[in-house]
Amino acid sequence: MTKKTSSILISILLLIISLVLAQAICLFITDDLIFGFFSPASEIPYIASRLFGGAVIFFIFMFFKNMKISKVQIHIMGIAYFFLLVSAVLFKSPLSYNSSRPININPISSIMDLFGSDGYYLSLISLGNFALFVPAGLYFSYLAKAQKKVMFGFLFISISLEAVQLIFKLGVFDTFDIITTFLGLLTGFGIHKYIS
């Protein structure tokens, strides 16, 4: 594979991640802020906000991909992103359809739920979990020196977030969420290894 082809593939991957990340941010944060005061007559404002957010995130990714950034700037962005990540994961509104099932240790049942009546919403949550953790994977792989430590750290982060949701009744302990967040972290790790 030539360098130009791999660069195009990385750009496509970053575009997909940007759109999914914009969807997750809109779904969990900005929809309530922007559209909570009025009810739009069509889906166009929702779609437009996601496309605009995806474009902004993509251009930020491309900007940072093509320039040198100081360590201080990386740490400032990492800390800011950490607060965004914690607020999006731990302080989202509780899901009513899972309130009677606080623990789900069967990821197959979650996959089957994707094809049920709540499938669209659950798919968005799964994609959001994945996309939200890609930048975290980039940052943590930047910080770590040993690859084994990174993998154990990613697993620890994924399980810890689910445990905190369970202990403080902020959500559901779901093994499928652990898998999607872990895959997002690994994707970020892979992107960091490729561009560094």
Side-chain angles (χ1 to χ4, degrees):
M1 185 182 301
T2 66
K3 191 166 185 172
K4 185 176 182 181
T5 306
S6 60
S7 178
I8 290 170
L9 290 175
I10 289 291
S11 297
I12 292 170
L13 178 65
L14 289 175
L15 177 61
I16 293 168
I17 290 170
S18 300
L19 291 171
V20 174
L21 190 56
Q23 169 67 16
I25 290 170
C26 288
L27 188 65
F28 292 122
I29 300 171
T30 60
D31 280 355
D32 290 339
L33 296 173
I34 296 171
F35 302 114
F37 300 106
F38 62 94
S39 176
S42 72
E43 296 290 321
I44 292 174
Y46 292 98
I47 295 169
S49 65
R50 282 148 175 77
L51 290 176
F52 177 75
V56 169
I57 293 167
F58 177 73
F59 286 121
I60 290 170
F61 275 145
M62 295 307 289
F63 176 75
F64 289 124
K65 179 180 173 257
N66 296 323
M67 70 171 286
K68 296 289 183 191
I69 307 167
S70 72
K71 288 183 178 182
V72 172
Q73 290 170 321
I74 289 173
H75 293 308
I76 289 171
M77 288 185 295
I79 291 167
Y81 181 77
F82 173 75
F83 284 112
L84 172 67
L85 186 66
V86 168
S87 65
V89 172
L90 297 181
F91 301 111
K92 60 185 181 286
S93 59
L95 304 175
S96 58
Y97 65 86
N98 269 333
S99 59
S100 63
R101 190 176 64 176
I103 299 175
N104 179 17
I105 57 171
N106 182 3
I108 304 298
S109 69
S110 296
I111 293 170
M112 297 308 290
D113 287 345
L114 295 176
F115 301 102
S117 59
D118 290 325
Y120 174 72
Y121 186 68
L122 291 172
S123 298
L124 291 178
I125 291 172
S126 298
L127 287 172
N129 277 344
F130 172 81
L132 277 171
F133 282 86
V134 170
L138 279 163
Y139 182 63
F140 290 128
S141 63
Y142 170 78
L143 292 177
K145 303 295 181 197
Q147 187 169 339
K148 282 185 180 179
K149 287 182 182 177
V150 171
M151 299 304 160
F152 285 121
F154 288 169
L155 193 57
F156 176 77
I157 290 165
S158 299
I159 293 171
S160 296
L161 286 172
E162 294 300 311
V164 167
Q165 289 183 66
L166 176 66
I167 292 166
F168 294 102
K169 297 182 180 178
L170 298 170
V172 177
F173 184 94
D174 194 339
T175 52
F176 188 65
D177 286 348
I178 292 172
I179 292 168
T180 55
T181 57
F182 186 72
L183 289 174
L185 289 163
L186 282 181
T187 302
F189 175 78
I191 293 172
H192 178 260
K193 286 298 175 189
Y194 177 79
I195 63 177
S196 61

